[in-house]
Amino acid sequence: MKTLLLSFFTFLMTGSLFSQVVVSELKRVGARKSIMHRDSSGWKRTGMFILNVNQSAQSDWSGGGENFMIGINAILNKAIHNRSGKYTFDSYFDLELGVVEAASFNEFRKTSDRIDITFEAEHSIGNKGHFNYGILGNLNTQLFAGLNYSKVGYPKTSSFFSPGKILLSVGIDYKDINTFHYFSIFATPLTFRWITKIDDDFYNSKKFGVDSSRKVYKEVGAYISAHYNYKISKTFGIISRIDLFSNYKRNTQNIDLLLNNVISFAISKYFTASIIIDIVYDDDVKKRMQVQQITGMGLRLRL
């Protein structure tokens, strides 16, 4: 319960982290509201690619430290929206990969690795289009193997679709869209989720909630997913996403959590400063909250 409350607090605080800046920016550009611009065929595409690189070097430095270190982190965030009459189609693509190399271990080591794809197909309720009903599908996994560098031999802890999560849900969605922000919250009491463990190295062990000698575990539960994209100004924006899932079949009170936040501030047309905060809780994977934070400056491209 403490984990859930802390996560909701973090989500809300992220959305209001720069509230004073938001007020001043909205006053500057005018508090006008209009429907998010779409092309003639009803499509709206938003997204960005961020590439952060950091490097350090030293020689005979009395304070100690790594003689050489380089880190690279790439993030792809893409959203595609389409409206045709009362039907809406939304897709979200979140890809992240980071590596670091230092003189002491003389190899690249993975620091972040995430693939997350969501698709929604919905029909509006009423004429205003805020409330919709429909289906939602989600896929979450990683690309490369995860290793425990603190242990001898670097034992493998995870890999492609180990774990993997595939989710299919039917529910109600609320959307609020204007020039400055995109907000969507999808909720349902009935969701099917499949946890995969396809790596043969894990087949004979119970891992990620999947029993030994099995590669898939099916869950049924309640699910909430919220997306928030706030374009405060031409140079400053926030993208947040939170997912909550409660498994009816096992430990219902232990709610799985996925929270992603990307805060970016454009320095110039192609360069940006960014803060990335990821919070994950899944007691089948690890019985405590996992937190990852990345701050950097680098190349940014609008997609």
Side-chain angles (χ1 to χ4, degrees):
M1 189 62 183
K2 291 182 179 179
T3 300
L4 180 59
L5 291 174
L6 176 61
S7 303
F8 267 121
F9 178 76
T10 304
F11 182 69
L12 293 174
M13 286 299 293
T14 301
S16 61
L17 183 61
F18 302 100
S19 58
Q20 296 301 318
V21 178
V22 173
V23 172
S24 62
E25 287 288 349
L26 290 183
K27 286 181 178 179
R28 183 177 64 82
V29 300
R32 63 189 184 279
K33 287 190 175 183
S34 60
I35 299 301
M36 183 167 53
H37 297 298
R38 301 174 186 271
D39 62 23
S40 58
S41 61
W43 290 94
K44 169 66 179 180
R45 298 171 178 86
T46 61
M48 62 181 176
F49 172 77
I50 297 176
L51 180 65
N52 292 326
V53 179
N54 57 80
Q55 179 268 337
S56 67
Q58 61 185 39
S59 177
D60 298 324
W61 189 254
S62 61
E66 291 285 353
N67 290 333
F68 177 81
M69 185 179 72
I70 183 169
I72 303 172
N73 185 262
I75 303 158
L76 173 63
N77 183 282
K78 180 72 175 176
I80 301 173
H81 312 283
N82 178 260
R83 176 178 290 276
S84 178
K86 289 191 173 185
Y87 292 93
T88 59
F89 304 90
D90 301 288
S91 299
Y92 307 91
F93 303 88
D94 294 298
L95 309 176
E96 182 179 340
L97 182 63
V99 294
V100 63
E101 192 267 350
S104 62
F105 47 79
N106 195 30
E107 63 182 355
F108 278 101
R109 294 181 175 180
K110 186 175 70 169
T111 57
S112 61
D113 185 359
R114 182 168 63 90
I115 302 173
D116 193 285
I117 302 172
T118 301
F119 173 78
E120 299 177 24
E122 299 171 340
H123 186 276
S124 63
I125 302 172
N127 296 322
K128 293 185 177 181
H130 287 303
F131 286 96
N132 307 268
Y133 66 90
I135 61 173
L136 179 149
N138 175 262
L139 181 151
N140 182 282
T141 185
Q142 63 191 49
L143 187 60
F144 300 106
L147 306 177
N148 188 342
Y149 296 109
S150 66
K151 294 185 178 181
V152 177
Y154 304 157
K156 187 190 299 184
T157 59
S158 60
S159 62
F160 183 65
F161 273 98
S162 301
K165 297 179 181 179
I166 303 171
L167 181 146
L168 184 62
S169 182
V170 178
I172 300 295
D173 189 20
Y174 173 82
K175 286 184 172 69
D176 184 16
I177 303 171
N178 62 49
T179 301
F180 302 108
H181 79 265
Y182 175 91
F183 174 74
S184 171
I185 181 167
F186 182 95
T188 175
L190 182 62
T191 296
F192 298 95
R193 191 171 75 167
W194 293 265
I195 309 299
T196 63
K197 185 190 66 178
I198 66 172
D199 194 318
D200 291 336
D201 291 341
F202 304 135
Y203 184 72
N204 292 321
S205 61
K206 182 177 180 179
K207 200 171 180 64
F208 317 122
V210 183
D211 291 334
S212 60
S213 302
R214 297 189 63 182
K215 293 191 174 185
V216 179
Y217 171 68
K218 184 173 73 174
E219 300 176 324
V220 180
Y223 177 68
I224 296 175
S225 179
H227 292 261
Y228 183 64
N229 188 333
Y230 206 144
K231 183 182 178 182
I232 299 171
S233 70
K234 291 182 178 180
T235 59
F236 188 39
I238 299 172
I239 299 174
S240 293
R241 178 259 187 96
I242 185 171
D243 285 5
L244 301 170
F245 179 81
S246 175
N247 181 16
Y248 294 149
K249 297 172 64 177
R250 184 171 62 194
N251 298 328
T252 305
Q253 73 282 1
N254 294 337
I255 299 176
D256 293 349
L257 163 76
L258 172 65
L259 175 61
N260 306 124
N261 298 289
V262 179
I263 304 169
S264 63
F265 185 85
I267 300 171
S268 66
K269 184 176 180 180
Y270 295 111
F271 291 92
T272 186
S274 60
I275 302 173
I276 303 158
I277 303 172
D278 294 334
I279 299 177
V280 175
Y281 178 78
D282 186 339
D283 66 322
D284 289 323
V285 177
K286 185 171 290 189
K287 297 187 181 298
R288 62 179 182 270
M289 188 164 58
Q290 305 170 62
V291 181
Q292 176 177 263
Q293 180 267 327
I294 300 171
T295 303
M297 297 176 63
L299 177 67
R300 176 185 179 183
L301 300 176
R302 290 190 177 274
L303 303 177

